[in-house]
Amino acid sequence: MGMGVRLVADPPQAGLAPLARPDPHNLPNNHISYMVQWFFFAATALVIYGLALRARLARKDDGR
């Protein structure tokens, strides 16, 4: 079950405890992982493009 949008009353209604304010320091710091992932995707795309280009040039040289 996914997290949906929550409506939070501030200040809390009578008889309810207030929610803790979000702390940015609790967010995961995985920027380097995303950077490595996207550089890998880009390198893979370049390799595929290079292979496709080589195949196209080989067909062109064969006279097809």
Side-chain angles (χ1 to χ4, degrees), residues 5-64:
V5 176
R6 292 177 25 173
L7 180 63
V8 179
D10 188 25
Q13 298 298 313
L16 298 177
L19 293 174
R21 296 265 182 215
D23 184 10
H25 297 292
N26 290 337
L27 295 174
N29 185 6
N30 51 5
H31 296 90
I32 292 177
S33 298
Y34 285 124
M35 178 196 69
V36 170
Q37 175 183 344
W38 285 103
F39 273 100
F40 175 75
F41 290 159
T44 303
L46 284 174
V47 168
I48 292 171
Y49 178 74
L51 292 172
L53 192 59
R54 185 174 74 170
R56 178 180 278 188
L57 290 174
R59 277 186 285 152
K60 190 175 183 180
D61 290 342
D62 289 342
R64 294 186 207 176

